[in-house]
């Protein structure tokens, strides 16, 4: 039967014909047109094939951001293999676990900044692989290995449903798990997000988000790749370098966090770089007018496409306010995604009632690498169970309520921290809030809130507790509130609930866990 759907490799094959003079990748002094990139991908694919990499085999990248990650994705796509960009901030023990768990045929590693960790992990791991250093020259290094492959396209018949990108997540199991994202997942995500992100062949995207995270690929590495725009890659974030590259490459889109944006604005007061090409796709108000954007576009996308709900297992944020003109705090699903809110028996809950967010469609991953029992549980009733709680509103949009993996139990009642946090932040004096459970011998747990007040604002504990009483059921209100200057964050930017538990005496969670809600 003839192929009816394209693979990631097919996209690259056609870009070299359709855009022979356009630049595909920029990484420092490296500039590759689409034909040049495809030639390198073919050489790399054939070199990997010669090293024993074939269908369903695996390549592990232990390094920071690099255009070579895109080359690896292209090569693996043409072989039906998988690429995992490892979390370069892993400890040696965590990295060794990933090496043994993922059992890659080839490991490509970086010495700069993380070499000590990589070498320690290699000593701990038992799995044997071909190790190739990418930030060095000479025999046995990345460029030498790539050059050993023939430039002829492997031209193999590969399924679009084969896993290509593997990203390790906490996965709510107590140990990290590799999410298997298929070629079709990436293409479906990229095409749909390109539309709401104003991404076309003239787009120039600055890859500053970590490549071990789905966010950088969704906003907007993969969409830019699919529509033949230009991906500019920085090894890691340095504000001065970011500012220089934004101007020099006429960057149109960038993955930048609020702290970096604030630093860029300060630096630009002296440098006055020309940032006229840049769109404020994320956090537009934070730029304070430094870059220009169309306010009507922000309104059309419900305040920016970064507002929504998602997880790695859905190939990123796939419920967005950009899909369907705003709505509740999450928004509406990607047109290639179905969402149902189910109870514990797999029945859909009525609108207005909280239920588990369950998904199926072209952006839902295959499951986790080497986790058959977890996959069987999470794919119950024919839907991927996110372990997060949502509510469908009267207008059809979805509100993210909280995670099922971190729940407070007070007497017979279940309390989801996110619902209490949202109630608190609706008070004008509250900038941020995080909620934990405090052990109670009689009731199992009491609700405790940790609150950051807005600049210049004042509020008392009693005032905020009374405010919450008016927002949600009274049994959900905090018994106590602590005021602080900042909520602790994980490396991924999520609330660090484990740190809060340690600092404020949290514990006694149902199931004996204090896992946070970060995805």
């Amino acid at each position: 039967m003839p192929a009816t759907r394209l693979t990631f490799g097919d996209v690259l094959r056609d870009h070299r014909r359709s855009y022979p003079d356009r630049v595909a990748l920029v990484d420092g002094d490296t500039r590759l047109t689409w034909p040049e990139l495809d030639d390198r991908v073919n050489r790399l694919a054939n070199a990997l094939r010669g090293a024993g990499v074939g269908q369903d085999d695996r390549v592990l990248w232990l390094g920071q951001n690099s255009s070579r990650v895109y080359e690896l994705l292209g090569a693996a796509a043409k072989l039906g293999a998988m690429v995992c960009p490892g979390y370069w901030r892993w400890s040696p023990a965590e990295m060794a676990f990933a090496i043994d768990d993922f059992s890659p045929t080839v490991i490509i590693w970086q010495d700069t900044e993380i070499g000590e960790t990589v070498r320690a992990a290699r000593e701990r791991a038992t799995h044997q692989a071909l190790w190739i250093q990418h930030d060095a020259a000479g025999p046995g290094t990345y460029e030498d290995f790539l050059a050993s492959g023939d430039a002829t396209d492997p031209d193999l018949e590969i399924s679009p449903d084969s896993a290509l990108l593997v990203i390790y997540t906490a996965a709510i199991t107590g140990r990290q798990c590799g999410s298997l994202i298929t070629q079709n997942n990436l293409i479906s995500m990229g095409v749909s997000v390109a539309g709401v992100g104003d991404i076309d062949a003239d787009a120039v995207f600055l890859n500053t988000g970590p490549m071990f995270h789905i966010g950088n690929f969704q906003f907007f590495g993969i969409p830019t790749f699919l529509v033949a725009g230009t991906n500019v890659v920085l090894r890691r974030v340095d504000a001065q370098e970011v500012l220089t590259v934004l101007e020099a490459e006429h960057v149109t889109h960038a993955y930048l966090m609020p702290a970096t944006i604030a630093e860029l604005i300060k630096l630009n007061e002296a440098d006055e770089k020309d940032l006229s090409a840049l769109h404020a796709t994320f956090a537009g108000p934070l730029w304070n007018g430094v870059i220009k954007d169309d306010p009507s576009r922000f309104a059309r996308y419900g305040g920016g496409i970064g507002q929504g709900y998602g997880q790695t297992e859905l190939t990123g944020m796939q419920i967005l306010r950009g899909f369907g003109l705003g709505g509740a705090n999450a928004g509406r699903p990607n047109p290639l995604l179905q969402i149902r809110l189910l109870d514990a028996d797999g029945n859909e809950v009525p609108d207005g009632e909280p239920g588990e967010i369950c998904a199926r469609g072209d952006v839902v991953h295959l499951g986790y690498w080497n986790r058959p029992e977890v996959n069987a549980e999470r794919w119950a009733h024919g839907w991927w169970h996110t372990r997060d709680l949502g509510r469908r509103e009267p207008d059809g949009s979805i509100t993210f309520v909280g995670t099922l993996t971190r729940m407070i139990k007070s007497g017979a009642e279940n309390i989801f921290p996110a619902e209490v946090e949202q109630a608190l932040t609706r008070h004008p004096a509250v900038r941020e809030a995080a909620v934990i459970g405090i052990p109670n011998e009689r009731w199992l747990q009491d609700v405790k809130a940790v609150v950051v007040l807005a600049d210049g604002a004042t509020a008392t504990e009693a005032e905020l507790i009374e405010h919450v009483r008016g927002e949600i059921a009274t049994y959900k209100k905090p018994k106590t509130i602590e005021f602080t200057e900042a909520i602790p964050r994980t490396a991924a930017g999520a609330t660090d609930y484990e740190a809060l538990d340690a600092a404020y005496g949290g514990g006694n969670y149902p199931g004996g866990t204090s896992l946070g809600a970060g995805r």
Side-chain angles (χ1 to χ4, degrees):
M1 183 176 179
T4 58
R5 291 182 298 154
L6 298 183
T7 66
F8 201 76
D10 290 329
V11 173
L12 186 52
R13 292 180 180 107
D14 273 26
H15 280 357
R16 76 174 297 151
R17 295 175 174 85
S18 299
Y19 304 93
D21 300 322
R22 300 296 293 269
V23 175
L25 283 174
V26 176
D27 189 344
D29 294 333
T30 299
R31 304 182 77 85
L32 298 174
T33 64
W34 288 102
E36 289 169 337
L37 173 59
D38 194 40
D39 283 344
R40 285 178 61 85
V41 163
N42 290 338
R43 288 189 179 278
L44 181 57
N46 287 318
L48 289 170
R49 197 175 180 187
V53 177
Q55 182 78 44
D56 297 328
D57 288 322
R58 294 159 300 287
V59 178
L60 178 61
W61 171 269
L62 295 178
Q64 295 167 315
N65 286 7
S66 172
S67 59
R68 290 167 175 169
V69 174
Y70 284 104
E71 293 177 348
L72 280 168
L73 287 172
K78 292 188 176 187
L79 298 176
M82 312 176 206
V83 175
C84 173
Y87 183 30
W88 58 266
R89 294 190 180 99
W90 274 330
S91 69
E94 291 170 321
M95 191 174 286
F97 171 83
I99 292 169
D100 287 336
D101 182 61
F102 196 51
S103 57
T105 304
V106 174
I107 298 174
I108 300 174
W109 69 284
Q110 173 182 310
D111 185 52
T112 303
E113 195 167 344
I114 63 171
E116 184 177 343
T117 299
V118 174
R119 282 185 283 271
R122 186 174 182 178
E123 289 181 3
R124 288 174 179 241
T126 60
H127 176 73
Q128 298 298 308
L130 173 63
W131 288 74
I132 300 170
Q133 186 178 348
H134 97 91
D135 60 338
T141 61
Y142 182 89
E143 286 298 324
D144 180 67
F145 178 74
L146 183 148
S148 71
D150 190 272
T152 304
D153 194 310
D155 197 25
L156 302 174
E157 186 174 333
I158 303 299
S159 169
D161 296 315
S162 61
L164 175 57
L165 176 64
V166 180
I167 293 181
Y168 270 83
T169 75
I172 320 166
T173 66
R175 60 175 181 168
Q176 53 196 351
C177 296
S179 174
L180 300 173
I181 299 171
T182 70
Q183 302 201 39
N184 183 60
N185 290 158
L186 290 174
I187 291 173
S188 299
M189 172 271 283
V191 170
S192 55
V193 172
V196 296
D198 281 358
I199 302 291
D200 58 22
D202 291 324
V204 179
F205 172 60
L206 183 60
N207 292 247
T208 52
M211 287 179 165
F212 55 72
H213 193 287
I214 193 62
N216 184 86
F217 288 113
Q218 184 181 14
F219 301 122
F220 296 99
I222 296 301
T224 299
F225 185 97
L226 291 178
V227 300
T230 300
N231 272 294
V232 180
V233 183
L234 289 184
R235 181 171 64 85
R236 61 172 307 170
V237 173
D238 173 85
Q240 186 61 65
E241 185 179 11
V242 169
L243 190 61
T244 299
V245 172
L246 287 174
E247 180 183 48
E249 299 296 338
H250 306 287
V251 170
T252 62
H253 298 74
Y255 190 95
L256 298 167
M257 296 295 102
T260 303
I261 293 173
E263 195 172 356
L264 290 172
I265 292 171
K266 186 175 181 180
L267 287 170
N268 203 48
E269 289 176 356
D271 286 359
E272 295 186 349
K273 300 289 189 185
D274 179 6
L275 305 181
S276 59
L278 187 62
H279 296 299
T281 309
F282 296 103
L286 296 182
W287 286 95
N288 294 332
V290 171
I291 61 176
K292 296 179 181 179
D293 209 351
D294 177 6
S296 68
R297 187 173 65 86
F298 258 149
R300 188 164 73 251
Y301 296 153
I305 71 167
Q307 296 187 11
Y309 165 83
Q311 56 181 210
T312 301
E313 296 87 337
L314 304 184
T315 323
M317 294 177 67
Q318 299 300 342
I319 304 176
L320 289 172
R321 300 194 73 206
F323 293 133
L325 304 177
N329 70 1
R332 292 176 172 81
N334 181 324
L336 299 176
L337 177 70
Q338 279 190 307
I339 293 293
R340 296 291 183 269
L341 305 178
L342 305 182
D343 64 19
D345 297 319
N347 301 310
E348 188 170 8
V349 300
D351 290 357
E353 295 294 325
E356 184 177 5
I357 301 172
C358 297
R360 67 184 181 193
D362 288 285
V363 292
V364 182
H365 77 161
L366 292 178
Y368 300 121
W369 166 255
N370 199 27
R371 303 288 189 274
E373 293 181 0
V374 176
N375 290 336
E377 178 185 349
R378 298 289 293 276
W379 274 111
H381 314 113
W383 297 81
W384 175 256
H385 288 245
T386 67
R387 309 306 296 148
D388 287 322
L389 199 69
R391 181 177 63 244
R392 194 176 296 276
E393 305 299 347
D395 67 354
S397 62
I398 294 172
T399 293
F400 170 66
V401 175
T403 176
L404 288 167
T405 58
R406 185 181 176 90
M407 183 179 71
I408 296 170
K409 190 82 169 179
S410 182
E413 301 293 348
N414 298 332
I415 301 169
F416 294 95
E419 189 174 12
V420 186
E421 291 164 0
Q422 290 169 15
L424 280 163
T425 55
R426 285 194 287 271
H427 190 286
V430 175
R431 188 174 74 200
E432 289 184 276
V435 168
I436 61 174
I438 303 298
N440 179 300
E441 288 186 4
R442 181 178 181 185
W443 302 110
L444 188 66
Q445 287 181 302
D446 290 333
V447 177
K448 184 179 191 68
V450 181
V451 166
V452 178
L453 293 176
D455 292 342
T458 59
T460 65
E461 179 184 46
E463 177 186 350
L464 293 183
I465 291 173
E466 189 61 27
H467 165 77
V468 174
R469 185 200 300 269
E471 292 282 324
I472 55 179
T474 185
Y475 70 83
K476 300 177 183 178
K477 70 182 186 301
K479 291 289 184 67
T480 56
I481 293 177
E482 294 272 355
F483 295 92
T484 187
E485 294 296 317
I487 302 293
R489 300 288 177 184
T490 67
T495 299
D496 191 338
Y497 287 99
E498 292 189 23
L500 286 167
D501 285 337
Y504 297 101
N508 272 18
Y509 293 96
T513 179
S514 61
L515 286 173
R519 310 304 288 161

